[in-house]
């Protein structure tokens, strides 16, 4: 275990820590252009301060119980896979906002939110099947111009899994189409929202699920076993034309997909 107990700045092109990175009160600064790579967990405690102007690469859990300033400049937190590292890890940002986040884990490894997380930059999926699991916590992109990208496509590289009550939330500043790159643990089933209205600190959050579905009318025979829950805040005169993507296995047995029509519930 490596404990950081002094003030220092990471000025090198890359610094690699193979043991657990535990900061119990130091001020740690990753300069622009520098990389701190930790091939196990990062634990920031108490009065510990981490300021990230460069790149933090972590293969284990990332826990901020101190003061982490993760948003300045173009700071990046990159989740990677290393030899011997756990397949599935957790992220607890401790209430601090991240800037850019990259999911570079491979082999369908996951990052699960241990608390609500916000980010002010971009989210990218560059690994092979890496996913962010929300559980009951929201993931919020606070920059209306922030993007979500995948190196090849989301079914290949990964997406946001809404496996609980947590939503993938985006800020909305103007009329337009807001995409939520979401799915369940197996299938990528995003939803896009063509939104109009008047906006004041507005957000649009979405999750998708296949259990606990609304009861269908008794005579309904053609439907899918998947629903999207979309919630708006801070929008007046709100309209939303939603388009959800489902998979073949969602179609009710014997259903005729040409007869399936979308509907909304209050």
């Amino acid at each position: 275990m490596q404990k950081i107990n002094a003030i220092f700045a990471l000025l090198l092109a890359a610094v690699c820590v193979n043991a657990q990175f535990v900061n119990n009160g130091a001020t740690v600064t990753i300069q622009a252009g520098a990389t701190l790579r930790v091939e196990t967990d990062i634990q920031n405690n108490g009065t510990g301060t981490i300021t990230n102007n460069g790149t933090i690469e972590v293969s284990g859990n990332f826990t901020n119980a101190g003061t982490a300033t993760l948003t300045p400049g173009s700071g990046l937190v990159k989740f990677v896979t290393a030899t011997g590292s756990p397949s599935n890890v957790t992220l607890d940002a401790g209430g601090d906002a991240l800037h850019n986040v990259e999911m570079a884990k491979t082999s369908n490894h996951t990052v699960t939110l241990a608390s609500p997380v916000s980010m002010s930059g971009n989210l990218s999926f560059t690994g092979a099947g890496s996913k962010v699991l929300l559980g009951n916590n929201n993931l919020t992109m606070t920059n209306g111009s922030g993007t979500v990208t995948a190196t090849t496509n989301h079914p290949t590289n990964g997406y946001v899994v809404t496996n609980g009550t947590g939503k993938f939330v985006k800020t909305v500043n103007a009329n337009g189409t807001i995409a939520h790159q979401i799915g369940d643990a197996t299938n990528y089933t995003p939803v896009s929202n063509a939104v109009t209205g008047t906006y004041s600190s507005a957000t649009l959050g979405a999750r998708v699920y296949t259990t606990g579905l609304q009861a269908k009318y008794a005579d309904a025979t053609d439907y899918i076993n998947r629903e999207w829950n979309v919630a708006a805040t801070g929008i007046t005169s709100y309209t939303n034309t939603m388009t959800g993507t489902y998979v073949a296995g969602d179609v009710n047995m014997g259903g005729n997909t040409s007869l399936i029509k979308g509907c909304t519930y209050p």
Side-chain angles (χ1 to χ4, degrees):
M1 177 181 294
Q2 179 154 338
K3 294 185 178 180
I4 309 300
N5 294 301
I7 297 175
F8 69 99
L10 299 175
L11 300 172
L12 302 178
V15 174
C16 183
V17 178
N18 292 318
Q20 185 179 22
F21 185 101
V22 179
N23 180 18
N24 286 323
T27 296
V28 179
T29 301
I30 299 95
Q31 299 285 6
T35 297
L36 169 64
R37 181 180 174 94
V38 180
E39 296 190 347
T40 179
D41 300 339
I42 292 179
Q43 177 81 35
N44 190 48
N45 298 322
T47 58
T49 299
I50 299 176
T51 301
N52 180 26
N53 292 297
T55 299
I56 296 174
E57 294 184 359
V58 56
S59 65
N61 301 323
F62 189 115
T63 304
N64 174 38
T67 303
T69 305
L70 302 169
T71 58
S74 57
L76 169 67
V77 175
K78 182 176 181 179
F79 290 93
V80 299
T81 296
T83 302
S85 66
S87 301
N88 305 310
V89 301
T90 60
L91 167 63
D92 183 352
D96 189 82
L98 284 71
H99 188 64
N100 296 321
V101 175
E102 180 179 348
M103 287 293 299
K105 283 186 168 293
T106 58
S107 304
N108 298 309
H109 294 177
T110 64
V111 174
T112 297
L113 302 193
S115 64
V117 171
S118 64
M119 52 180 296
S120 61
N122 303 318
L123 173 62
S124 60
F125 292 86
T126 61
S130 59
K131 298 179 179 69
V132 178
L133 275 57
L134 300 190
N136 295 331
N137 299 298
N138 287 349
L139 173 62
T140 302
M141 297 187 72
T142 61
N143 183 351
S145 61
T147 62
V148 181
T149 60
T151 301
T152 302
N153 55 48
H154 287 291
T156 300
N157 295 112
Y159 49 88
V160 176
V161 176
T162 57
N163 58 325
T165 59
K167 291 184 175 69
F168 188 20
V169 181
K170 296 186 178 184
T171 57
V172 187
N173 301 317
N175 294 344
T177 299
I178 310 300
H180 291 86
Q181 295 80 6
I182 57 178
D184 57 36
T186 305
N187 300 297
Y188 177 57
T189 53
V191 62
S192 67
N193 307 270
V195 177
T196 65
T198 302
Y199 309 95
S200 177
S201 302
T203 66
L204 195 69
R207 67 185 182 96
V208 63
Y209 46 92
T210 58
T211 60
L213 304 178
Q214 292 284 343
K216 307 299 187 295
Y217 290 110
D219 57 350
T221 58
D222 307 288
Y223 56 87
I224 62 171
N225 292 304
R226 182 178 296 273
E227 293 176 358
W228 294 262
N229 181 307
V230 177
T233 64
I235 308 177
T236 55
S237 301
Y238 168 61
T239 69
N240 185 354
T241 301
M242 293 175 283
T243 303
T245 299
Y246 62 91
V247 295
D250 294 334
V251 179
N252 182 54
M253 293 297 292
N256 185 339
T257 56
S258 67
L259 298 178
I260 294 174
K261 304 295 182 183
C263 61
T264 61
Y265 294 89

